[in-house]
Amino acid sequence: MQTLDWLAVSAGGRLLVACAAGAVGGLALQIARARGVEVDALVSRDAQVAFAHGHGAGLVTTDSRDLQERSYDAVFDTFGALVTEAVADGGRYASIATQAGPVPDLSSRGVRTTVNQVREDGAGLNELTKLVDRGSLHLRVHSTFGLHEIQAAHERFLQGSLAGKITVTF
């Protein structure tokens, strides 16, 4: 949510979310749609297309070549896809993929860029809770384990192919 706030895309604006079926991208897609933003999605596998469409994305593709150049007010890159040509001149490009390194300098096109890191935000957490309560934000939980089942939770995580997160309840 903090990165979406920095991107400052308002209702009716156009946003591209790269890795829109991942943990962060899937939440960003839903939050942006709840705000009335038109969202397109770049996903990594064909199996993720239905998820992105089901949560309100317009165009969903696995191939960045399908994206129109300079057509988005903002791009939220959650993976390091560096789809910088998708952002419109004068737009904003934010990445949370610190492993990908810095976002290229796009200032010659008037594009503001950042690599954003999450900070504590009680008011933001309250807003997220309201989105969940209203049904606008659906959390993806693969399975839940009690604290006494922590080893089983870890073993399930290591198996991979999760359709959501592993949660541990206290």
Side-chain angles (χ1 to χ4, degrees), residues 17-23 41-49 51-52 60-64 78-79 81:
V17 177
C19 198
L42 179 63
V43 296
S44 59
R45 297 186 307 277
D46 289 333
Q48 299 170 328
V49 170
F51 169 84
V60 180
T61 184
T62 59
D63 188 345
S64 62
T78 69
F79 180 69

Side-chain angles (χ1 to χ4, degrees), residues 7-166:
L7 287 168
V9 183
S10 55
R14 297 198 67 223
L15 172 69
L16 172 65
V17 177
C19 198
V24 174
L27 293 173
L29 165 61
Q30 294 177 70
I31 294 166
R33 288 297 302 136
R35 293 177 174 182
V37 175
E38 295 178 27
V39 182
D40 287 348
L42 179 63
V43 296
S44 59
R45 297 186 307 277
D46 289 333
Q48 299 170 328
V49 170
F51 169 84
H53 274 304
H55 287 84
L59 170 75
V60 180
T61 184
T62 59
D63 188 345
S64 62
R65 294 174 295 190
D66 293 337
L67 304 170
Q68 291 184 328
E69 285 189 16
R70 301 182 183 195
S71 62
Y72 296 96
D73 301 309
V75 174
F76 187 170
D77 185 352
T78 69
F79 180 69
L82 296 177
V83 285
T84 56
E85 289 304 312
V87 66
D89 292 351
R92 291 181 177 221
Y93 191 103
S95 175
I96 60 165
T98 56
Q99 81 284 359
V103 176
D105 181 5
L106 303 175
S107 61
S108 65
R109 295 179 37 214
V111 175
R112 291 185 55 197
T113 62
T114 190
V115 175
N116 199 23
Q117 294 296 301
V118 176
R119 64 191 179 289
E120 289 183 31
D121 181 6
L125 185 57
N126 188 44
E127 184 179 337
L128 289 172
T129 301
K130 289 177 183 177
L131 289 172
V132 170
D133 290 345
R134 282 196 308 257
S136 299
L137 184 60
H138 302 279
L139 306 178
R140 293 184 290 163
V141 177
H142 181 273
S143 51
T144 302
F145 295 85
L147 185 58
H148 63 282
E149 301 172 296
I150 196 74
Q151 184 173 352
H154 184 70
E155 289 169 0
R156 178 58 193 99
F157 172 77
L158 292 176
Q159 291 172 8
S161 299
L162 302 175
K165 294 296 183 182
I166 300 262

